[in-house]
Amino acid sequence: MTNPTVLISGASIAGPALACWLTRFGCTVTVVERAPAIRPGGQAVDFKGATHRAVLDRMGILDDVRERQTGGQDQTIVDAAGRARAVIPGEFTGGELEIRRGDLAEILYRRTDCEYLFGDTVTALSETADGVDVTFARAEPRRFDLVVGADGIHSNVRRLAFGPERGYVRYLGYHYALAELGEDVADGEAVMYNEPGRMAAVGGPKASAFFVFASPELDYDRTDTGKQRQLLVDAYRGAGWRVPELMAKIPRADEFYLDSLSRVTIDRYFRGRVVLLGDAAYGNTLGGFGTGLAVVGAYVLAGELFAADGDHRVAFARYEELMRDYAKVSQRGSAGPFLAPPSPLRIKLRDWTFKSRFLLGLMLKATDKFATDIELPDYASGS
């Protein structure tokens, strides 16, 4: 396949990262993104260990990420009276390199030399012997050699090519919300409060206000932020600490996002000429490894296409072989019971974990192991 044409759906992290590599390897790339532009701001994401550093360095963006890094910040767990119970160290929440998602997306966007279709989305896919015929909501229909779904846990491409979301996404019993309520809500401090099944934090690495709560799976229109804000307020009725003050600000929050904690479980990362990347293939909400998996996955997918001279059958199979084991961390556990423990005893045990240097050290070693558990090929040198 000479100079293959590739459509990537999604312009958050995985999509632009893949576009950066594919254009370098001679592909003609189009990225389609539902949003009107690269989304600014957003929650903090992080990278850990030598594997993540190696990929960022090979992309040529390691220094850019370091220049824009936020720096890990300690977060104090408090009781209802505001008294400190434990401290979560910045090295645990922020990894080795922490950066705002929007800043990372902007860095990647500047590094890509390809076509972007903002404010649009894929509405239909039809594979033929020669390619994939793609219909868009706004742009004219086009044919591409390959299509990549890099559009998150609620992937539109996965739905069109593989089937309904319910067959691949498992709800984990919690929802979370991010809200920009202004820097004054935290006064420069990062503080977290728990009640059984509920967590509220201000000034932490995710947003000026961050919430996680246990709940039956909620049914709501993902475009109706007014309804979503009300669902959050309802979920926190009767809560103590500063929660009533924070809830009073939610209707006027400058930015607001609510979603479920869910895990993607899928037997194959590809079907014909369509392949999934990042959270669309191996997402686990707030699992702590999503951005690293997306960036490493983009490197491996592009590299395997390069190594296979564009033969997608060989490349996709090899990509899955390499990433399936590395992404196994996304198939384990849920952040919900850790961030919002279901009982007073579980809250105490979680807090005790951060008071014990030994247990904290074990957790940090485990995250480092998962982040580096892959042998990265050097595609540029052929080894």
Side-chain angles (χ1 to χ4, degrees):
M1 190 186 297
T2 303
N3 189 28
T5 57
V6 183
L7 174 69
I8 301 171
S9 177
S12 180
I13 303 301
L18 180 63
C20 181
W21 286 112
L22 289 179
T23 53
R24 192 178 300 184
F25 291 151
C27 299
T28 299
V29 177
T30 298
V31 180
V32 60
E33 166 58 44
R34 188 185 300 271
I38 293 293
R39 294 184 178 96
Q43 68 193 72
V45 298
D46 60 85
F47 298 100
K48 309 172 179 73
T51 298
H52 293 175
R53 280 199 314 274
V55 173
L56 296 175
D57 188 40
R58 292 176 192 182
M59 292 181 76
I61 66 169
L62 180 57
D63 290 340
D64 293 332
V65 172
R66 283 174 170 160
E67 287 176 4
R68 304 284 286 273
Q69 66 177 313
T70 58
Q73 181 181 9
D74 291 351
Q75 188 170 35
T76 303
I77 303 172
V78 299
D79 63 15
R83 296 182 295 256
R85 296 171 56 99
V87 175
I88 305 175
E91 62 182 319
F92 180 81
T93 59
E96 183 178 334
L97 286 170
E98 182 186 82
I99 183 172
R100 289 285 181 187
R101 176 178 291 275
D103 290 344
L104 178 59
E106 181 189 345
I107 290 169
L108 292 168
Y109 176 66
R110 291 201 317 263
R111 290 280 177 160
T112 54
D113 181 17
C114 67
E115 176 188 23
Y116 278 81
L117 300 177
F118 286 111
D120 208 345
T121 188
V122 177
T123 58
L125 299 170
S126 178
E127 183 169 341
T128 70
D130 300 323
V132 184
D133 292 325
V134 180
T135 304
F136 298 95
R138 294 177 58 188
E140 291 297 315
R142 290 160 64 176
R143 173 172 291 188
F144 296 87
D145 292 315
L146 306 172
V147 173
V148 182
D151 43 358
I153 280 185
H154 304 294
S155 171
N156 183 45
V157 166
R158 187 188 59 226
R159 178 182 61 82
L160 293 171
F162 291 74
E165 180 173 306
R166 64 179 177 271
Y168 305 104
V169 178
R170 176 190 170 196
Y171 175 60
L172 298 177
Y174 287 78
H175 287 77
Y176 76 103
L178 303 167
E180 290 299 338
L181 304 181
E183 296 181 2
D184 58 323
V185 299
D187 274 339
E189 293 185 283
V191 183
M192 186 172 90
Y193 168 72
N194 280 111
E195 294 176 357
R198 297 193 287 199
M199 182 275 281
V202 294
K206 298 297 181 186
S208 68
F210 174 41
F211 307 92
V212 177
F213 59 97
S215 168
E217 189 167 7
L218 301 176
D219 183 19
Y220 58 90
D221 182 345
R222 290 176 53 79
T223 66
D224 186 350
T225 59
K227 174 64 173 177
Q228 294 170 36
R229 291 169 195 248
Q230 188 59 52
L231 287 171
L232 179 68
V233 171
D234 290 344
Y236 278 81
R237 292 194 186 281
W241 186 56
R242 296 176 55 195
V243 172
E245 166 203 343
L246 298 175
M247 290 299 109
K249 294 177 181 288
I250 290 297
R252 300 182 302 279
D254 291 337
E255 297 179 25
F256 181 86
Y257 181 79
L258 181 139
D259 202 352
S260 64
L261 267 65
S262 299
R263 179 190 301 128
V264 175
T265 302
I266 195 164
D267 293 335
R268 299 289 297 275
Y269 294 165
F270 62 96
R271 179 167 291 178
R273 293 172 176 267
V274 179
V275 63
L276 303 176
L277 172 66
D279 282 353
Y282 28 82
N284 186 333
T285 315
L286 302 182
F289 291 90
T291 304
L293 286 172
V295 172
V296 173
Y299 172 77
V300 172
L301 177 55
E304 290 302 326
L305 280 166
F306 173 70
D309 290 327
D311 186 335
H312 66 280
R313 293 162 298 187
V314 173
F316 289 176
R318 179 64 176 154
Y319 156 71
E320 176 161 335
E321 180 184 346
L322 288 170
M323 287 301 297
R324 177 71 69 178
D325 190 54
Y326 184 55
K328 64 182 180 294
V329 64
S330 70
Q331 298 303 303
R332 302 178 182 180
S334 164
F338 184 81
L339 293 170
S343 68
L345 176 60
R346 292 281 294 272
I347 293 172
K348 288 181 181 179
L349 290 173
R350 192 277 316 277
D351 294 350
W352 184 60
T353 299
F354 290 109
K355 295 177 182 178
S356 168
R357 294 178 60 122
F358 174 71
L359 292 177
L360 178 60
L362 287 180
M363 286 196 297
L364 290 172
K365 286 181 179 178
T367 59
D368 287 345
K369 179 180 182 298
F370 286 129
T372 57
D373 192 19
I374 187 173
E375 195 74 32
L376 282 181
D378 185 352
Y379 297 106
S381 69
S383 63

